[in-house]
């Protein structure tokens, strides 16, 4: 989507509509059921609108950190996140960072603690956050081991394995974003956009 269009939308909408547009633009694959979760940095002035925007949906959220007038909001569906954290590869990977097996709330408590600690140190984010954003575990592991270097391609995440599959997913995510934005511009609410799930035959 052209930068000019995004800039215009973000500058011309009221507070609530602006936040809705940000969520649609940045979380479309999650809203459409293609991802387990997503995270968005939100200006604090917008945060009062978030509860109302997500009312009557199955989407939950929590703030992982607050820094310089912005909050990192993590969006998820509880059952889907719980099922994801039970996956053997995800569980084994997160155990390395002290998560063990936890209910989603406890796991997010620990993630929040680590995110805040990294921010205080000026060290960005703990890289296991990629697992909580539903990036392929092998790619998250390689990103950490190689300190972000290398990789065969970069899109929604840095790819180290299976670039063909990753390219298909990137294209599907792009289509989901275009679809969600068009639905929003046509007057659909977040709830209505999230109800229009897509098939995931490429996964």
């Amino acid at each position: 989507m052209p930068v000019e269009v995004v800039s215009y939308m973000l500058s011309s909408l009221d507070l609530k509509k602006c936040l809705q547009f940000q969520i649609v633009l940045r979380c479309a694959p999650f809203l459409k059921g293609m991802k387990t979760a997503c995270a968005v940095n939100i200006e604090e002035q917008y945060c009062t609108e978030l509860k109302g925007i997500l009312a009557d949906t199955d989407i939950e959220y929590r703030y992982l950190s607050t820094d310089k007038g912005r909050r990192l909001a993590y969006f998820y569906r509880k059952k889907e996140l719980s099922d994801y954290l039970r996956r053997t590869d995800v569980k084994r990977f997160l155990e390395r960072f002290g998560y063990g097996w936890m209910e989603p709330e406890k796991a997010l408590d620990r993630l929040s603690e680590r995110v805040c600690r990294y921010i205080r140190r000026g060290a960005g984010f703990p890289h296991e956050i990629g697992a909580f954003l539903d990036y392929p575990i092998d790619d998250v592991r390689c990103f950490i081991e190689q300190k972000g270097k290398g990789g065969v391609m970069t899109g929604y995440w840095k790819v180290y394995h299976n670039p063909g599959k990753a390219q298909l997913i990137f294209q599907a995510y792009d289509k989901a974003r275009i679809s969600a934005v068009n639905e929003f511009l046509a007057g659909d609410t977040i709830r209505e956009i999230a109800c229009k799930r897509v098939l995931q035959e490429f996964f």
Side-chain angles (χ1 to χ4, degrees):
M1 177 165 294
V3 174
E4 295 81 2
V5 174
V6 174
S7 297
Y8 172 76
M9 291 297 297
L10 293 177
S11 64
S12 64
L13 298 174
D14 61 38
L15 205 65
K16 185 174 182 179
K17 283 288 186 181
C18 186
L19 178 56
Q20 288 176 312
F21 182 67
Q22 287 187 56
I23 293 172
V24 168
L25 185 67
R26 299 174 185 172
C27 299
F30 165 72
L31 294 176
K32 292 296 185 182
M34 301 165 72
K35 288 187 63 177
T36 301
C38 67
V40 178
N41 267 307
I42 298 175
E43 293 182 25
E44 286 194 85
Q45 61 175 329
Y46 295 148
C47 292
T48 55
E49 302 289 346
L50 196 51
K51 184 175 181 179
I53 287 172
L54 297 178
D56 301 320
T57 73
D58 61 351
I59 297 171
E60 300 188 36
Y61 71 95
R62 64 168 297 168
Y63 299 116
L64 297 180
S65 66
T66 301
D67 184 51
K68 298 178 181 177
R70 299 175 69 84
R71 295 183 181 182
L72 181 62
Y74 181 83
F75 299 96
Y76 63 101
R77 295 177 176 91
K78 186 173 181 178
K79 183 183 184 306
E80 292 178 11
L81 181 59
S82 181
D83 291 344
Y84 173 78
L85 293 175
R86 286 189 175 96
R87 261 178 40 186
T88 301
D89 59 335
V90 175
K91 179 180 175 182
R92 287 178 178 171
F93 173 77
L94 289 175
E95 282 175 348
R96 297 169 50 191
F97 302 94
Y99 291 85
W101 185 86
M102 300 178 176
E103 291 292 336
E105 292 82 1
K106 294 293 185 182
L108 293 178
D109 285 344
R110 174 157 180 77
L111 178 62
S112 177
E113 291 171 3
R114 285 177 56 78
V115 168
C116 291
R117 190 185 317 152
Y118 271 61
I119 289 175
R120 286 195 299 271
R121 289 163 41 197
F125 296 103
H127 293 312
E128 78 268 14
I129 196 172
F132 286 91
L133 296 175
D134 203 4
Y135 299 162
I137 294 299
D138 285 342
D139 286 339
V140 178
R141 183 183 296 109
C142 281
F143 184 89
I144 293 171
E145 291 172 352
Q146 299 189 29
K147 303 184 185 303
K149 298 178 181 179
V152 295
M153 63 184 290
T154 301
Y156 287 85
W157 68 87
K158 180 165 278 192
V159 178
Y160 292 85
H161 301 277
N162 205 339
K165 181 178 180 180
Q167 185 63 49
L168 290 175
I169 294 175
F170 292 168
Q171 291 172 357
Y173 284 3
D174 288 342
K175 290 178 181 177
R177 176 179 289 175
I178 293 170
S179 176
V181 168
N182 286 338
E183 290 164 10
F184 176 78
L185 295 177
D188 282 0
T189 64
I190 295 287
R191 183 186 65 79
E192 291 168 331
I193 292 169
C195 283
K196 298 175 183 177
R197 299 292 187 95
V198 297
L199 295 176
Q200 302 182 45
E201 67 275 4
F202 48 84
F203 281 95

